[in-house]
């Protein structure tokens, strides 16, 4: 068993080199085939068998035992497109002043390579009470349907998961789900100069007022209340025609206190407009504070909190913890970077936490 500080340092060097290669290989959502090949090459060089589907890759520990529970390590290798404010080449891995610059370095390349290093650390171990699986997945940045969603059914039952996103290695023990609702208020058209028609805008405004004022009674201890925001509104064709339709979109951030279906039903019961959800895939997720992986993180002095943003956790039907090296404020920003020490410390912390669970 080669569980030494020297081994962790070697894994850190390999992880940083892999991250540099990933940065220099464009991998926009739905266009991740080249980074998928890079990851496949990495596992092949490590003599680790793996499975692929579309631009996703997953693997299991060498001594996988179907009778044992399985923990999953997951992060994504797709990126957003660089914004126009970049002053550096987003596809060049630039190491400077202890930082590694490049598109996807922080979100979520640092997390991904740190979890891969953690998986490699445990790969040969025979003393594990859990199996360890790794899934490197696509399309996370667009909540796409050909990423983790098509990998999850291929996996064995997952007891719990760590999802790699930049949290400064703090513990996101809950995450809000997302509902996007397209609504249509219907009226009757008429001439604006006469008392004709039934103005759909006025109907929509009454519904929007309810959305603005309504508070769902159950409040999450970690995520707070459900948050509803009207973010798009459209109506009318010209100034002298009373509009017969007004469409608006509601962004709803849902806590674990409600199912998505319950939230939709409550909204439909209280507004006149037609309500059509775009999807009910992105569900809220959480993990109990008393879960062993959370307890191991707390022992290391990390803070537990609820995350208002969504990730691939929403696609997992098991307790899941979101955590990883890097800072969420750097995600999608110009001249994105991650500190090299964040990767090294992240790998060490992941290993300590997982060790405390999978060797019990």
């Amino acid at each position: 068993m080669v569980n030494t500080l020297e081994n962790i340092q070697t894994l850190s060097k390999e992880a940083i080199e892999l991250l540099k290669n990933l940065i220099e290989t464009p991998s926009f959502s739905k266009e991740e085939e080249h980074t998928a090949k890079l990851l496949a090459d990495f596992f092949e060089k490590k003599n680790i068998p793996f499975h692929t589907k579309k631009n996703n890759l997953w693997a299991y520990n060498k001594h996988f035992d179907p009778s044992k529970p399985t923990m999953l390590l997951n992060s994504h290798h797709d990126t957003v497109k660089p914004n126009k404010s970049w002053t550096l080449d987003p596809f060049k891995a630039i190491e400077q002043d202890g930082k590694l610059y490049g598109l996807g370095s922080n979100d979520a390349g640092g997390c991904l390579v740190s979890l891969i290093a953690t998986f490699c650390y445990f790969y040969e171990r025979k003393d594990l009470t859990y199996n360890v699986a790794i899934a490197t997945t696509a399309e996370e940045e667009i909540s796409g349907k050909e990423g983790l969603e098509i990998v999850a059914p291929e996996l064995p039952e997952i007891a719990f998961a760590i999802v790699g996103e930049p949290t400064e290695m703090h513990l996101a023990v809950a995450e809000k789900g997302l509902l996007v609702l397209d609504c249509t208020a219907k009226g009757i058209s008429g001439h604006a100069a006469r008392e004709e028609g039934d103005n759909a805008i006025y109907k929509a405004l009454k519904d929007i007022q309810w959305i603005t004022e309504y508070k769902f009674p159950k409040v999450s201890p970690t995520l707070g209340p459900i948050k509803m925001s009207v973010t798009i509104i459209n109506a009318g064709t010209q100034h002298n025609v009373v509009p017969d339709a007004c469409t608006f979109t509601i962004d709803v951030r849902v806590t674990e206190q409600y199912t998505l279906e319950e939230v939709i039903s409550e909204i439909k019961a209280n507004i006149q407009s037609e309500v059509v959800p775009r999807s009910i895939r992105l569900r809220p997720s959480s993990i109990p504070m008393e879960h062993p992986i959370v307890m191991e993180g707390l022992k290391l002095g990390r803070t537990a909190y609820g995350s208002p943003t969504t990730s691939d956790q929403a696609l997992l039907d098991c307790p899941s913890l979101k955590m990883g090296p890097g800072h969420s404020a750097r995600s999608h920003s110009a001249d994105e970077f991650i500190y090299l020490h964040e990767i090294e410390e992240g790998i060490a912390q992941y290993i300590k936490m997982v060790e405390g669970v999978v060797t019990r």
Side-chain angles (χ1 to χ4, degrees), residues 189-200:
S189 64
H191 199 296
R194 296 189 291 270
E195 293 298 323
E196 291 180 351
D198 185 8
N199 198 317

Side-chain angles (χ1 to χ4, degrees), residues 153-355:
E154 306 285 344
L155 301 174
E157 182 177 354
I158 302 298
F160 73 95
I162 297 176
V163 176
E165 291 287 341
T167 68
E168 300 179 275
M169 293 303 287
H170 291 299
L171 317 172
V173 295
E175 178 183 270
K176 285 186 176 179
L178 171 63
L179 270 177
V180 180
L181 305 176
D182 291 316
C183 306
T184 304
K186 293 186 176 180
I188 301 171
S189 64
H191 199 296
R194 296 189 291 270
E195 293 298 323
E196 291 180 351
D198 185 8
N199 198 317
I201 292 177
Y202 299 159
K203 287 187 169 184
L205 287 175
K206 289 180 182 178
D207 289 343
I208 291 170
Q209 186 67 29
W210 179 85
I211 292 160
T212 303
E213 296 176 351
Y214 184 72
K215 306 295 181 187
F216 283 84
K218 292 187 285 187
V219 176
S220 166
T222 51
L223 295 169
I226 286 179
K227 186 176 186 301
M228 296 192 289
S229 304
V230 175
T231 54
I232 302 171
I233 185 166
N234 287 291
T237 55
Q238 59 189 63
H239 76 90
N240 58 352
V241 178
V242 173
D244 62 358
C246 178
T247 62
F248 58 96
T249 299
I250 318 173
D251 177 294
V252 190
R253 303 292 167 151
V254 184
T255 74
E256 82 288 354
Q257 297 294 307
Y258 294 87
T259 66
L260 301 188
E261 290 83 356
E262 287 172 335
V263 172
I264 293 168
S265 294
E266 184 71 6
I267 293 171
K268 283 183 174 180
N270 284 280
I271 70 175
Q272 296 181 63
S273 300
E274 292 181 356
V275 179
V276 179
R278 292 185 187 177
S279 153
I280 51 171
R281 298 164 53 241
L282 303 178
R283 298 180 179 274
S285 56
S286 64
I287 191 168
M289 286 292 293
E290 63 273 15
H291 193 284
I293 195 67
V294 177
M295 300 300 293
E296 290 297 325
L298 295 174
K299 283 182 193 175
L300 296 176
R302 311 320 289 171
T303 301
Y305 72 101
S307 172
T309 58
T310 58
S311 73
D312 272 346
Q313 272 186 293
L315 303 174
L316 291 170
D317 188 20
C318 67
S320 58
L321 173 67
K322 182 169 72 175
M323 65 177 296
H327 194 302
S328 62
R330 299 184 213 133
S331 300
H332 307 178
S333 65
D335 299 338
E336 179 183 353
F337 70 89
I338 190 166
Y339 286 100
L340 296 174
H341 73 80
E342 290 178 318
I343 296 173
E344 296 160 0
E345 293 164 6
I347 292 170
Q349 184 178 322
Y350 276 143
I351 287 173
K352 285 179 183 177
M353 289 175 61
V354 172
E355 182 89 36

Side-chain angles (χ1 to χ4, degrees), residues 13-28:
K13 289 178 182 176
E14 292 176 349
I16 291 168
E17 189 60 33
L18 176 59
L19 179 53
K20 289 178 179 178
N21 291 333
L22 290 169
I23 288 169
E24 297 189 348
T25 307
S27 56
F28 304 140

